[in-house]
Amino acid sequence: MSSLYSAAGVDVEAGDKAVELMKAAVARTHSARVLGGVGGFAGLWDASDLLTYTRPLLATSTDGVGTKVALAQRLDKHDTIGVDLVGMVVDDIVVTGARPLFMTDYIACGKVVPERIAAIVSGIARGCEETGTALVGGETAEHPGLLEPEEYDVAGAATGVVEAGKVLGPERVRDGDVLLAMAASGVHANGYSLVRHVLASTGWDLYAHDDDLGRTLGEELLEPTRLYTRPCLDLVEATTVHAFTHVTGGGLASNLARVLPPGLVADVDRASWVLPPVFTLLARGAQAWPHELEGTLNLGVGMVAILPAASFERATASLAAAGIESWELGRVRVETPDDVTHHPMVSGTKGVHGGAVVMHREYRTA
């Protein structure tokens, strides 16, 4: 049976070898709450801790990393794309105030190359370790004929828990709240179809050193997504936070609008930070002004906390201790009748009927 399946393009033995290579990395994400090891039909997680909650709510999220995988394949570097996956999945859970519990992954590929699969999973495990998330299971599927031998895609799902009375979100946001921006580590894992279009149209060499970036363009574009999980959870413990927004697909304004209640507007000051060089470079390659890219790329802001003005100093100190640059991005206010006629507003994104965002001034570049 194995030889027949191999003739069809599926190498079962390669899959088994990949599992052996990834075992140690996965085990490092486990605590006593994880029962069983790698290779079971399902991951088991001891939920006894939930008995200490008054009303535990489970938060869940699933995502991938989009076409950033194509860049990893082009550069033949696969050990960071898993960190991106954890960032895209787990940090969406943290937005609600939830603590992540466990995660599973799924890798589809044209051909199982054990070392490549193990490198991908090592990145996922690294991200899970950093965020305190147990990697309790996963699947690697070989799809010959559907994907080329060097092609793969990754996806994941995670579950977290939050006390019902501590859920963060639009209901908590108030007039006068401060928008606290947290710096991104780079492009993260959104907008890579645009990035790849720019690369194709410009012919830029991914291996060439760029003085403004301080490294090669390829290294810059594969920089893994910053993980905000623990810093955000520490922030909730250190001071009062009303909401978070994770700046992913759609950019800053559209994601911020999702966590504002109807009737409130967030004024965002583009000049409150200096645009990182990679975004200036991509804007030039796209022959566009930076503000034309803000609906696609994060432009240097990876996460935003919305909190009372009285919490601002303690919050920035907490983030500084975690090594994350932060600054006041703007303020929340009540919407006025003049807003609709005098300001371009972003609202109603992702199907959410909520507040609105107004972007002011122009970006500063180094």
Side-chain angles (χ1 to χ4, degrees):
M1 181 66 71
S2 177
S3 61
L4 288 174
Y5 213 11
S6 295
V10 177
D11 191 337
V12 176
E13 291 182 359
D16 291 341
K17 182 180 179 182
V19 171
E20 288 298 322
L21 291 175
M22 70 177 72
K23 269 186 175 181
V26 173
R28 285 195 294 272
T29 73
H30 291 181
S31 67
R33 295 183 183 89
V34 178
L35 307 180
V38 177
F41 281 92
L44 296 174
W45 191 86
D46 186 344
S48 299
D49 284 356
L50 302 189
L51 296 174
T52 64
Y53 286 72
T54 301
R55 186 187 171 199
L57 300 183
L58 294 180
T60 185
S61 176
T62 186
D63 208 342
V65 298
T67 61
K68 190 172 184 176
V69 295
L71 199 60
Q73 291 157 21
R74 180 173 168 183
L75 292 168
D76 195 24
K77 180 172 172 54
H78 314 283
D79 61 344
T80 60
I81 205 74
V83 179
D84 291 296
L85 181 63
V86 174
M88 293 300 102
V89 174
V90 173
D91 279 343
D92 274 3
I93 287 175
V94 172
V95 165
T96 67
R99 173 174 59 89
L101 302 174
F102 52 82
M103 179 172 175
T104 57
D105 66 72
Y106 179 81
I107 304 171
C109 60
K111 177 179 175 59
V112 171
V113 178
E115 294 76 13
R116 181 191 298 155
I117 299 300
I120 297 169
V121 175
S122 74
I124 300 173
R126 172 181 152 195
C128 283
E129 278 189 272
E130 187 173 331
T131 58
T133 309
L135 184 58
V136 297
E139 171 72 5
T140 300
E142 202 167 24
H143 293 166
L146 181 62
L147 296 170
E148 294 298 319
E150 72 281 358
E151 292 180 337
Y152 62 82
D153 196 12
V154 296
T159 298
V161 63
V162 59
E163 187 67 71
K166 296 182 178 180
V167 175
L168 305 180
E171 298 79 9
R172 294 179 178 263
V173 178
R174 298 290 181 267
D175 177 24
D177 278 355
V178 175
L179 308 174
L180 179 60
M182 302 177 214
S185 58
V187 184
H188 286 183
N190 299 102
Y192 274 81
S193 292
L194 172 61
V195 170
R196 290 166 54 242
H197 174 74
V198 169
L199 293 174
S201 61
T202 60
W204 287 339
D205 183 359
L206 289 171
Y207 297 94
H209 185 274
D210 186 287
D211 290 339
D212 290 332
L213 300 177
R215 53 182 168 177
T216 69
L217 179 57
E219 290 170 333
E220 176 69 29
L221 293 176
L222 275 191
E223 176 68 29
T225 301
R226 172 164 282 157
L227 302 177
Y228 299 96
T229 303
R230 283 185 166 158
C232 283
L233 293 177
D234 288 346
L235 201 60
V236 171
E237 292 297 320
T239 189
T240 301
V241 177
H242 288 158
F244 288 116
T245 188
H246 193 196
V247 184
T248 54
L252 174 58
S254 66
N255 282 290
L256 184 54
R258 297 167 70 183
V259 295
L260 298 174
L264 292 186
V265 173
D267 287 312
V268 172
D269 184 2
R270 295 186 183 105
S272 65
W273 78 100
V274 175
L275 205 64
V278 65
F279 298 107
T280 304
L281 180 67
L282 290 170
R284 185 169 74 246
Q287 298 182 12
W289 293 103
H291 70 263
E292 295 179 85
L293 305 182
E294 64 190 15
T296 305
L297 303 174
N298 68 59
L299 297 183
V301 180
M303 183 77 80
V304 178
I306 306 177
L307 36 76
S311 297
F312 181 78
E313 288 190 13
R314 182 173 290 183
T316 55
S318 177
L319 291 170
I324 296 179
E325 179 188 0
S326 63
W327 65 94
E328 183 176 331
L329 184 69
R331 297 265 176 153
V332 177
R333 60 173 172 82
V334 175
E335 185 176 343
T336 69
D338 289 340
D339 281 320
V340 177
T341 55
H342 290 84
H343 301 296
M345 302 176 71
V346 177
S347 63
T349 60
K350 307 285 187 178
V352 175
H353 174 63
V357 177
V358 177
M359 305 291 288
H360 297 275
R361 300 206 292 175
E362 294 300 323
Y363 292 103
R364 292 187 293 134
T365 58

Short mmCIF file of all heavy atoms in Angstrom, two decimals, residues 97-152:
data_model
loop_
_atom_site.label_atom_id
_atom_site.label_comp_id
_atom_site.label_asym_id
_atom_site.label_seq_id
_atom_site.Cartn_x
_atom_site.Cartn_y
_atom_site.Cartn_z
N GLY A 97 -8.91 40.33 25.34
CA GLY A 97 -8.45 40.23 26.72
C GLY A 97 -8.20 38.80 27.15
O GLY A 97 -7.88 38.53 28.31
N ALA A 98 -8.36 37.85 26.21
CA ALA A 98 -8.24 36.44 26.54
C ALA A 98 -6.78 35.99 26.61
O ALA A 98 -5.93 36.48 25.87
CB ALA A 98 -8.98 35.59 25.51
N ARG A 99 -6.54 35.03 27.48
CA ARG A 99 -5.24 34.39 27.60
C ARG A 99 -5.24 33.16 26.71
O ARG A 99 -6.11 32.30 26.83
CB ARG A 99 -4.98 33.99 29.06
CG ARG A 99 -3.73 33.16 29.30
CD ARG A 99 -3.50 32.95 30.78
NE ARG A 99 -4.61 32.28 31.43
CZ ARG A 99 -4.71 30.95 31.54
NH1 ARG A 99 -3.79 30.16 31.01
NH2 ARG A 99 -5.75 30.40 32.16
N PRO A 100 -4.28 33.02 25.79
CA PRO A 100 -4.27 31.85 24.91
C PRO A 100 -3.96 30.57 25.67
O PRO A 100 -3.15 30.58 26.61
CB PRO A 100 -3.17 32.17 23.90
CG PRO A 100 -2.27 33.12 24.61
CD PRO A 100 -3.15 33.93 25.51
N LEU A 101 -4.61 29.50 25.28
CA LEU A 101 -4.40 28.20 25.92
C LEU A 101 -3.64 27.25 25.02
O LEU A 101 -2.58 26.75 25.40
CB LEU A 101 -5.76 27.59 26.31
CG LEU A 101 -6.65 28.42 27.24
CD1 LEU A 101 -8.00 27.74 27.42
CD2 LEU A 101 -5.96 28.63 28.58
N PHE A 102 -4.18 26.99 23.84
CA PHE A 102 -3.54 26.02 22.95
C PHE A 102 -3.79 26.36 21.49
O PHE A 102 -4.70 27.14 21.16
CB PHE A 102 -4.01 24.59 23.27
CG PHE A 102 -5.51 24.43 23.29
CD1 PHE A 102 -6.23 24.25 22.11
CD2 PHE A 102 -6.19 24.42 24.50
CE1 PHE A 102 -7.61 24.09 22.13
CE2 PHE A 102 -7.58 24.26 24.52
CZ PHE A 102 -8.28 24.09 23.34
N MET A 103 -3.00 25.75 20.63
CA MET A 103 -3.06 26.02 19.20
C MET A 103 -2.81 24.73 18.42
O MET A 103 -2.12 23.82 18.91
CB MET A 103 -2.00 27.07 18.82
CG MET A 103 -1.93 27.42 17.34
SD MET A 103 -0.83 28.82 17.03
CE MET A 103 -0.86 28.84 15.23
N THR A 104 -3.39 24.65 17.24
CA THR A 104 -3.09 23.58 16.30
C THR A 104 -2.71 24.21 14.96
O THR A 104 -3.09 25.35 14.67
CB THR A 104 -4.30 22.64 16.09
OG1 THR A 104 -5.42 23.41 15.65
CG2 THR A 104 -4.65 21.90 17.37
N ASP A 105 -1.96 23.47 14.15
CA ASP A 105 -1.53 24.01 12.86
C ASP A 105 -1.87 23.04 11.74
O ASP A 105 -2.11 21.85 11.97
CB ASP A 105 -0.03 24.31 12.87
CG ASP A 105 0.82 23.05 13.00
OD1 ASP A 105 0.91 22.27 12.04
OD2 ASP A 105 1.42 22.84 14.09
N TYR A 106 -1.85 23.56 10.52
CA TYR A 106 -2.09 22.75 9.33
C TYR A 106 -1.14 23.22 8.23
O TYR A 106 -1.08 24.42 7.93
CB TYR A 106 -3.54 22.90 8.85
CG TYR A 106 -3.86 22.12 7.59
CD1 TYR A 106 -4.14 20.75 7.65
CD2 TYR A 106 -3.85 22.73 6.35
CE1 TYR A 106 -4.42 20.03 6.50
CE2 TYR A 106 -4.13 22.03 5.19
CZ TYR A 106 -4.42 20.67 5.27
OH TYR A 106 -4.69 19.95 4.12
N ILE A 107 -0.39 22.29 7.68
CA ILE A 107 0.56 22.59 6.61
C ILE A 107 0.20 21.74 5.40
O ILE A 107 0.19 20.50 5.49
CB ILE A 107 2.01 22.31 7.02
CG1 ILE A 107 2.37 23.09 8.30
CG2 ILE A 107 2.98 22.66 5.88
CD1 ILE A 107 3.71 22.70 8.89
N ALA A 108 -0.10 22.37 4.30
CA ALA A 108 -0.34 21.67 3.03
C ALA A 108 0.86 21.92 2.13
O ALA A 108 1.33 23.06 2.01
CB ALA A 108 -1.62 22.18 2.37
N CYS A 109 1.37 20.88 1.50
CA CYS A 109 2.56 21.05 0.67
C CYS A 109 2.49 20.14 -0.56
O CYS A 109 1.74 19.16 -0.59
CB CYS A 109 3.83 20.74 1.48
SG CYS A 109 3.89 19.06 2.14
N GLY A 110 3.28 20.49 -1.56
CA GLY A 110 3.35 19.66 -2.75
C GLY A 110 4.17 18.41 -2.52
O GLY A 110 3.89 17.35 -3.09
N LYS A 111 5.20 18.52 -1.69
CA LYS A 111 6.05 17.39 -1.36
C LYS A 111 6.59 17.58 0.06
O LYS A 111 7.05 18.67 0.41
CB LYS A 111 7.23 17.29 -2.34
CG LYS A 111 8.21 16.17 -2.04
CD LYS A 111 9.32 16.11 -3.07
CE LYS A 111 10.38 15.07 -2.72
NZ LYS A 111 9.81 13.70 -2.60
N VAL A 112 6.50 16.56 0.87
CA VAL A 112 7.04 16.63 2.22
C VAL A 112 8.56 16.53 2.17
O VAL A 112 9.10 15.49 1.81
CB VAL A 112 6.46 15.53 3.12
CG1 VAL A 112 7.22 15.49 4.46
CG2 VAL A 112 4.99 15.76 3.38
N VAL A 113 9.21 17.62 2.49
CA VAL A 113 10.65 17.63 2.72
C VAL A 113 10.81 17.75 4.23
O VAL A 113 10.52 18.82 4.80
CB VAL A 113 11.33 18.81 2.00
CG1 VAL A 113 12.83 18.81 2.29
CG2 VAL A 113 11.07 18.75 0.49
N PRO A 114 11.19 16.68 4.91
CA PRO A 114 11.15 16.67 6.38
C PRO A 114 11.82 17.87 7.03
O PRO A 114 11.28 18.45 7.98
CB PRO A 114 11.86 15.36 6.74
CG PRO A 114 11.59 14.46 5.57
CD PRO A 114 11.63 15.37 4.37
N GLU A 115 12.99 18.24 6.54
CA GLU A 115 13.72 19.36 7.13
C GLU A 115 12.96 20.67 6.97
O GLU A 115 12.98 21.52 7.86
CB GLU A 115 15.11 19.46 6.53
CG GLU A 115 16.04 18.29 6.85
CD GLU A 115 15.72 17.04 6.04
OE1 GLU A 115 14.96 17.13 5.05
OE2 GLU A 115 16.24 15.96 6.40
N ARG A 116 12.30 20.85 5.83
CA ARG A 116 11.53 22.07 5.60
C ARG A 116 10.32 22.12 6.52
O ARG A 116 10.04 23.15 7.15
CB ARG A 116 11.08 22.14 4.14
CG ARG A 116 10.29 23.41 3.80
CD ARG A 116 9.65 23.30 2.44
NE ARG A 116 10.65 23.15 1.40
CZ ARG A 116 10.42 22.56 0.22
NH1 ARG A 116 9.23 22.06 -0.05
NH2 ARG A 116 11.38 22.47 -0.66
N ILE A 117 9.59 21.02 6.64
CA ILE A 117 8.42 20.97 7.51
C ILE A 117 8.84 21.21 8.96
O ILE A 117 8.19 21.96 9.70
CB ILE A 117 7.70 19.62 7.38
CG1 ILE A 117 7.19 19.41 5.94
CG2 ILE A 117 6.53 19.55 8.37
CD1 ILE A 117 6.22 20.46 5.45
N ALA A 118 9.94 20.59 9.36
CA ALA A 118 10.41 20.78 10.73
C ALA A 118 10.80 22.23 10.99
O ALA A 118 10.57 22.75 12.09
CB ALA A 118 11.60 19.86 11.00
N ALA A 119 11.37 22.90 9.98
CA ALA A 119 11.73 24.31 10.14
C ALA A 119 10.48 25.17 10.31
O ALA A 119 10.45 26.08 11.14
CB ALA A 119 12.53 24.78 8.93
N ILE A 120 9.46 24.88 9.53
CA ILE A 120 8.20 25.63 9.66
C ILE A 120 7.62 25.46 11.06
O ILE A 120 7.25 26.42 11.74
CB ILE A 120 7.18 25.17 8.60
CG1 ILE A 120 7.69 25.47 7.19
CG2 ILE A 120 5.83 25.87 8.82
CD1 ILE A 120 6.87 24.81 6.09
N VAL A 121 7.56 24.21 11.51
CA VAL A 121 6.98 23.92 12.82
C VAL A 121 7.85 24.49 13.94
O VAL A 121 7.32 24.93 14.97
CB VAL A 121 6.76 22.41 13.00
CG1 VAL A 121 6.27 22.10 14.42
CG2 VAL A 121 5.74 21.91 11.99
N SER A 122 9.16 24.54 13.73
CA SER A 122 10.02 25.14 14.76
C SER A 122 9.67 26.60 14.97
O SER A 122 9.72 27.11 16.10
CB SER A 122 11.50 24.99 14.38
OG SER A 122 11.87 25.89 13.34
N GLY A 123 9.29 27.30 13.90
CA GLY A 123 8.86 28.69 14.02
C GLY A 123 7.54 28.80 14.76
O GLY A 123 7.35 29.70 15.58
N ILE A 124 6.61 27.88 14.46
CA ILE A 124 5.33 27.88 15.17
C ILE A 124 5.57 27.63 16.66
O ILE A 124 5.00 28.32 17.53
CB ILE A 124 4.39 26.81 14.59
CG1 ILE A 124 4.11 27.09 13.11
CG2 ILE A 124 3.07 26.77 15.37
CD1 ILE A 124 3.33 25.98 12.40
N ALA A 125 6.42 26.67 16.96
CA ALA A 125 6.72 26.35 18.36
C ALA A 125 7.39 27.53 19.06
O ALA A 125 7.08 27.82 20.22
CB ALA A 125 7.61 25.11 18.42
N ARG A 126 8.29 28.20 18.36
CA ARG A 126 8.95 29.38 18.93
C ARG A 126 7.92 30.44 19.30
O ARG A 126 7.96 31.03 20.39
CB ARG A 126 9.97 29.92 17.92
CG ARG A 126 10.60 31.26 18.30
CD ARG A 126 11.55 31.68 17.19
NE ARG A 126 11.70 33.12 17.08
CZ ARG A 126 12.22 33.74 16.02
NH1 ARG A 126 12.64 33.04 14.99
NH2 ARG A 126 12.32 35.06 16.00
N GLY A 127 6.98 30.69 18.40
CA GLY A 127 5.94 31.67 18.68
C GLY A 127 5.04 31.23 19.82
O GLY A 127 4.63 32.04 20.64
N CYS A 128 4.73 29.95 19.87
CA CYS A 128 3.88 29.44 20.94
C CYS A 128 4.59 29.57 22.29
O CYS A 128 3.96 29.94 23.30
CB CYS A 128 3.51 27.98 20.67
SG CYS A 128 2.22 27.78 19.42
N GLU A 129 5.89 29.28 22.32
CA GLU A 129 6.65 29.45 23.57
C GLU A 129 6.60 30.90 24.04
O GLU A 129 6.38 31.19 25.22
CB GLU A 129 8.11 29.05 23.35
CG GLU A 129 8.41 27.57 23.44
CD GLU A 129 9.89 27.31 23.43
OE1 GLU A 129 10.46 27.17 22.34
OE2 GLU A 129 10.50 27.27 24.52
N GLU A 130 6.80 31.82 23.10
CA GLU A 130 6.85 33.24 23.45
C GLU A 130 5.51 33.75 23.96
O GLU A 130 5.46 34.64 24.80
CB GLU A 130 7.32 34.06 22.25
CG GLU A 130 7.55 35.52 22.58
CD GLU A 130 8.16 36.31 21.42
OE1 GLU A 130 8.89 35.72 20.60
OE2 GLU A 130 7.91 37.52 21.34
N THR A 131 4.43 33.18 23.47
CA THR A 131 3.10 33.66 23.85
C THR A 131 2.46 32.83 24.95
O THR A 131 1.34 33.12 25.38
CB THR A 131 2.16 33.67 22.62
OG1 THR A 131 2.08 32.34 22.08
CG2 THR A 131 2.65 34.63 21.55
N GLY A 132 3.14 31.78 25.40
CA GLY A 132 2.58 30.93 26.43
C GLY A 132 1.44 30.06 25.95
O GLY A 132 0.51 29.76 26.70
N THR A 133 1.53 29.64 24.69
CA THR A 133 0.48 28.84 24.06
C THR A 133 0.99 27.42 23.82
O THR A 133 2.08 27.25 23.26
CB THR A 133 0.07 29.46 22.71
OG1 THR A 133 -0.23 30.84 22.89
CG2 THR A 133 -1.14 28.75 22.12
N ALA A 134 0.24 26.43 24.20
CA ALA A 134 0.65 25.05 23.96
C ALA A 134 0.31 24.64 22.53
O ALA A 134 -0.82 24.84 22.07
CB ALA A 134 -0.06 24.11 24.94
N LEU A 135 1.27 24.10 21.81
CA LEU A 135 1.03 23.57 20.47
C LEU A 135 0.65 22.10 20.65
O LEU A 135 1.51 21.24 20.86
CB LEU A 135 2.29 23.71 19.61
CG LEU A 135 2.18 23.29 18.14
CD1 LEU A 135 1.09 24.06 17.42
CD2 LEU A 135 3.52 23.49 17.43
N VAL A 136 -0.65 21.81 20.61
CA VAL A 136 -1.13 20.49 21.01
C VAL A 136 -1.39 19.54 19.84
O VAL A 136 -1.72 18.38 20.06
CB VAL A 136 -2.42 20.61 21.85
CG1 VAL A 136 -2.16 21.37 23.14
CG2 VAL A 136 -3.54 21.27 21.05
N GLY A 137 -1.25 20.01 18.63
CA GLY A 137 -1.48 19.12 17.51
C GLY A 137 -1.35 19.84 16.19
O GLY A 137 -1.17 21.05 16.13
N GLY A 138 -1.42 19.06 15.11
CA GLY A 138 -1.32 19.65 13.79
C GLY A 138 -1.43 18.58 12.72
O GLY A 138 -1.62 17.39 13.01
N GLU A 139 -1.35 19.02 11.49
CA GLU A 139 -1.46 18.11 10.36
C GLU A 139 -0.57 18.60 9.24
O GLU A 139 -0.51 19.81 8.94
CB GLU A 139 -2.91 18.04 9.88
CG GLU A 139 -3.14 17.30 8.59
CD GLU A 139 -2.97 15.79 8.72
OE1 GLU A 139 -2.77 15.29 9.85
OE2 GLU A 139 -3.03 15.10 7.67
N THR A 140 0.15 17.68 8.63
CA THR A 140 0.91 17.97 7.42
C THR A 140 0.33 17.12 6.30
O THR A 140 0.31 15.89 6.41
CB THR A 140 2.40 17.66 7.59
OG1 THR A 140 2.93 18.46 8.65
CG2 THR A 140 3.17 17.96 6.31
N ALA A 141 -0.17 17.77 5.26
CA ALA A 141 -0.83 17.06 4.16
C ALA A 141 -0.05 17.27 2.87
O ALA A 141 0.27 18.39 2.51
CB ALA A 141 -2.26 17.56 4.00
N GLU A 142 0.26 16.17 2.21
CA GLU A 142 0.98 16.22 0.94
C GLU A 142 -0.04 16.21 -0.20
O GLU A 142 -0.88 15.31 -0.29
CB GLU A 142 1.92 15.01 0.84
CG GLU A 142 3.06 15.20 -0.12
CD GLU A 142 4.12 14.11 0.04
OE1 GLU A 142 3.80 13.02 0.53
OE2 GLU A 142 5.28 14.37 -0.32
N HIS A 143 0.04 17.25 -1.07
CA HIS A 143 -0.94 17.41 -2.15
C HIS A 143 -0.25 17.46 -3.51
O HIS A 143 -0.22 18.50 -4.18
CB HIS A 143 -1.75 18.69 -1.95
CG HIS A 143 -2.65 18.67 -0.76
ND1 HIS A 143 -3.24 19.80 -0.25
CD2 HIS A 143 -3.08 17.64 0.02
CE1 HIS A 143 -4.00 19.47 0.80
NE2 HIS A 143 -3.90 18.17 0.98
N PRO A 144 0.33 16.35 -3.96
CA PRO A 144 0.99 16.33 -5.28
C PRO A 144 -0.03 16.58 -6.39
O PRO A 144 -1.16 16.09 -6.33
CB PRO A 144 1.58 14.92 -5.36
CG PRO A 144 0.73 14.10 -4.44
CD PRO A 144 0.36 15.02 -3.32
N GLY A 145 0.37 17.37 -7.35
CA GLY A 145 -0.53 17.70 -8.45
C GLY A 145 -1.35 18.94 -8.19
O GLY A 145 -1.80 19.60 -9.13
N LEU A 146 -1.57 19.24 -6.92
CA LEU A 146 -2.29 20.47 -6.56
C LEU A 146 -1.29 21.58 -6.25
O LEU A 146 -1.50 22.74 -6.63
CB LEU A 146 -3.19 20.21 -5.36
CG LEU A 146 -4.03 21.39 -4.87
CD1 LEU A 146 -5.00 21.84 -5.96
CD2 LEU A 146 -4.80 21.03 -3.61
N LEU A 147 -0.21 21.23 -5.55
CA LEU A 147 0.87 22.16 -5.25
C LEU A 147 2.16 21.63 -5.85
O LEU A 147 2.37 20.41 -5.92
CB LEU A 147 1.03 22.30 -3.72
CG LEU A 147 -0.14 22.90 -2.95
CD1 LEU A 147 0.08 22.74 -1.45
CD2 LEU A 147 -0.31 24.38 -3.31
N GLU A 148 3.03 22.55 -6.27
CA GLU A 148 4.34 22.15 -6.77
C GLU A 148 5.19 21.63 -5.61
O GLU A 148 4.93 21.95 -4.44
CB GLU A 148 5.03 23.34 -7.45
CG GLU A 148 4.33 23.82 -8.71
CD GLU A 148 4.28 22.75 -9.79
OE1 GLU A 148 5.29 22.04 -9.96
OE2 GLU A 148 3.22 22.60 -10.42
N PRO A 149 6.23 20.84 -5.91
CA PRO A 149 7.02 20.23 -4.83
C PRO A 149 7.58 21.22 -3.82
O PRO A 149 7.70 20.89 -2.63
CB PRO A 149 8.16 19.52 -5.59
CG PRO A 149 7.55 19.19 -6.92
CD PRO A 149 6.64 20.35 -7.24
N GLU A 150 7.92 22.44 -4.25
CA GLU A 150 8.50 23.42 -3.33
C GLU A 150 7.44 24.32 -2.68
O GLU A 150 7.76 25.14 -1.82
CB GLU A 150 9.51 24.30 -4.06
CG GLU A 150 8.94 25.31 -5.04
CD GLU A 150 8.53 24.70 -6.39
OE1 GLU A 150 8.73 23.48 -6.58
OE2 GLU A 150 8.02 25.45 -7.24
N GLU A 151 6.18 24.15 -3.03
CA GLU A 151 5.12 25.02 -2.52
C GLU A 151 4.48 24.46 -1.25
O GLU A 151 4.37 23.24 -1.08
CB GLU A 151 4.03 25.22 -3.58
CG GLU A 151 4.47 26.02 -4.78
CD GLU A 151 3.36 26.19 -5.80
OE1 GLU A 151 2.42 25.36 -5.82
OE2 GLU A 151 3.44 27.14 -6.60
N TYR A 152 4.05 25.36 -0.39
CA TYR A 152 3.29 24.97 0.80
C TYR A 152 2.45 26.15 1.26
O TYR A 152 2.68 27.29 0.86
CB TYR A 152 4.22 24.50 1.93
CG TYR A 152 5.18 25.53 2.46
CD1 TYR A 152 4.79 26.48 3.41
CD2 TYR A 152 6.51 25.56 2.02
CE1 TYR A 152 5.67 27.42 3.90
CE2 TYR A 152 7.41 26.50 2.50
CZ TYR A 152 6.98 27.43 3.44
OH TYR A 152 7.86 28.38 3.92
#
